[in-house]
Amino acid sequence: MDTTVTMSGLDGVVVADTRLSEVDGERGRLVVAGHDIERLAGATAFEAVAGLLWSGALPQGEALEAVRRALAEGRVRAFEQLQAAELPRFADGMDALRAATARLTAEDGFDTPARLTGAVAVYAAAWARVRAGGRPLAPDPQLSHAADYLRMLTGEPADPARVAGLETYLVTVADHGMNASTFAARVVASTGSDAVSAIVAAIGALKGPLHGGAPGPVLDMLDAIGEPTRAAQWIEAELAAGRRIMGMGHRIYRVRDPRAAVLEGALARLEQAGLANGRLALARAVERAAEGALRAKYPDRPLAANVEFYTAVLLDAVGLDRAAFSPTFAAGRVAGWCAHVLEQRATGRLIRPASRYVGPAPHA
Ligand code: COA
């Protein structure tokens, strides 16, 4: 008799030892390479967190400058490889990002974290520009990664407060345990394949609405609700129709996702600077209503706001179109994907789980 248990979602299955990040779902804590996310986000440049993930220590001084230069060079080299004429055929930003990234090769130098992280930012921004009717803007290597991304994407010189909001976001999402896209990247890396292939697989996994595709729909939901007073009724109707509330629930967290608080704080800072979109109060009301309704429906399974909930409102306030939200998630998470590719390569072990056969017995 087959006594193996089928773990269809691999819940709780440990597939790797990692030094990169720890997600404590019970206490709602995210530690990135020895640093609580609350201490990094809002206080640390994306370059520094990328360097932390890639080298294990927060770079300072010349080491930080070296990461900055490498990322800038990655953006410049990626722009040289961009086939901009192909972008208009992609209605979806993640499709465009996947296709543009897939053109890169290790032979052209795209086998380092900085090159690949630079490339994802350039291609995400280029697609957003083309979609808005413009032409892709060449990178400015003098700017920080976050500032240059925002400038390439919006076509305008980036406002410092908005850059700070975006940078907080990029840092907050840079790594998050063994999430689905990171796992996809590690599976590809474990076969001995190249880093471009691993990142392309990860982009494909991130695209799904159960992973990185949620923030656009969160904003759609807030628009549909419109007024805080309508939140409870709207949420009830969605649940009654059997639909999921986007931005709520998480595979690991049994409490509110700590990243939701970090992004909510960044949004509040933008609001204080007079740059927000007036949606913070609505978002808070919808979150309260959704949490209450989900608690009533699933009393044994705490379902609270996840990172996507405030991502939507923050990135909107930063000036991004909702179609660019998922590609921007990729622009942050690629730093973690690259670090996991390096870590996986170092193990040298193929990831190859098993399945249980439930098909028909062989014909006699
Ligand atoms: N809205 C409504 N119901 C939800 C829900 C949500 N956001 N999240 C979970 N549930 C329900 C599930 O349908 C399940 O109900 P069932 O037993 O009747 O099928 C129950 O709550 C338990 O779900 P759980 O096992 O905890 O979910 P999961 O671990 O498979 O899924 C997510 C986690 C993130 C995929 C899920 O919460 C979800 O779809 N959230 C909305 C999408 C989203 O915000 N994604 C971004 C994640 S960072």
Side-chain angles (χ1 to χ4, degrees):
M1 192 180 74
D2 180 4
T3 54
T4 53
V5 180
T6 304
M7 309 285 289
S8 63
L10 298 183
D11 309 36
V13 176
V14 175
V15 297
D17 288 336
T18 182
R19 301 182 63 81
L20 298 171
S21 61
E22 183 186 28
V23 181
D24 182 338
E26 299 298 328
R27 288 189 293 165
R29 187 174 190 190
L30 169 60
V31 174
V32 177
H35 302 262
D36 275 307
I37 193 61
E38 293 82 0
R39 295 182 77 92
L40 287 178
T44 316
F46 178 72
E47 283 84 345
V49 175
L52 170 68
L53 288 165
W54 301 338
S55 73
L58 263 181
Q60 289 173 343
E62 178 46 35
L64 180 57
E65 267 312 300
V67 178
R68 229 180 129 101
R69 277 196 304 274
L71 272 171
E73 197 191 334
R75 297 196 301 277
V76 171
R77 292 287 298 272
F79 191 78
E80 289 165 7
Q81 306 278 332
L82 176 67
Q83 304 283 324
E86 289 180 357
L87 291 177
R89 79 182 178 89
F90 294 103
D92 183 279
M94 294 300 276
D95 288 343
L97 187 56
R98 192 194 58 230
T101 307
R103 292 187 144 273
L104 303 174
T105 64
E107 289 70 37
D108 289 330
F110 287 89
D111 202 30
T112 68
R115 287 276 168 92
L116 287 161
T117 301
V120 168
V122 167
Y123 299 156
W127 175 80
R129 282 291 293 158
V130 169
R131 184 174 181 274
R135 288 173 50 172
L137 291 180
D140 177 350
Q142 301 307 317
L143 290 178
S144 75
H145 193 67
D148 204 19
Y149 178 58
L150 195 54
R151 183 194 61 85
M152 288 188 289
L153 196 144
T154 60
E156 290 163 19
D159 174 278
R162 290 202 163 96
V163 172
L166 176 67
E167 186 140 46
T168 299
Y169 171 73
L170 295 174
V171 165
T172 301
V173 300
D175 198 51
H176 197 244
M178 195 53 64
N179 59 88
S181 56
T182 296
F183 183 51
R186 286 190 78 127
V187 169
V188 175
S190 84
T191 70
S193 186
D194 61 296
V196 172
S197 300
I199 301 310
V200 169
I203 292 170
L206 188 71
K207 180 186 173 190
L210 300 188
H211 189 6
V218 169
L219 211 54
D220 297 340
M221 170 176 73
L222 296 181
D223 285 349
I225 294 174
E227 290 290 328
T229 51
R230 294 187 53 218
Q233 194 189 7
W234 194 93
I235 296 284
E236 290 296 345
E238 282 296 286
L239 290 179
R243 287 190 282 272
R244 290 190 177 203
I245 310 302
M246 289 294 128
M248 300 297 295
H250 198 270
R251 174 57 61 84
I252 306 287
Y253 290 119
R254 293 295 175 268
V255 292
R256 195 178 192 232
D257 184 333
R259 300 166 301 171
V262 169
L263 299 185
E264 187 186 7
L267 183 63
R269 283 196 292 280
L270 271 183
E271 200 160 83
Q272 278 155 17
L275 286 168
N277 43 12
R279 283 196 170 102
L280 182 55
L282 174 63
R284 284 177 170 154
V286 172
E287 182 191 357
R288 269 197 308 277
E291 213 180 299
L294 287 166
R295 195 181 310 117
K297 188 168 181 191
Y298 301 102
D300 302 327
R301 172 67 171 101
L303 295 165
N306 63 48
V307 66
E308 309 285 23
F309 197 89
Y310 286 95
T311 289
V313 198
L314 176 63
L315 292 185
D316 178 66
V318 161
L320 269 55
D321 188 277
R322 69 192 75 191
F325 290 176
S326 296
T328 302
F329 191 169
R333 181 58 56 83
V334 64
W337 292 335
C338 291
H340 280 272
V341 167
L342 296 178
E343 198 177 63
Q344 184 62 41
R345 278 181 181 163
T347 75
R349 179 95 179 138
L350 174 70
I351 297 175
R352 203 302 190 188
S355 53
R356 184 158 44 140
Y357 180 66
V358 295
H363 296 293

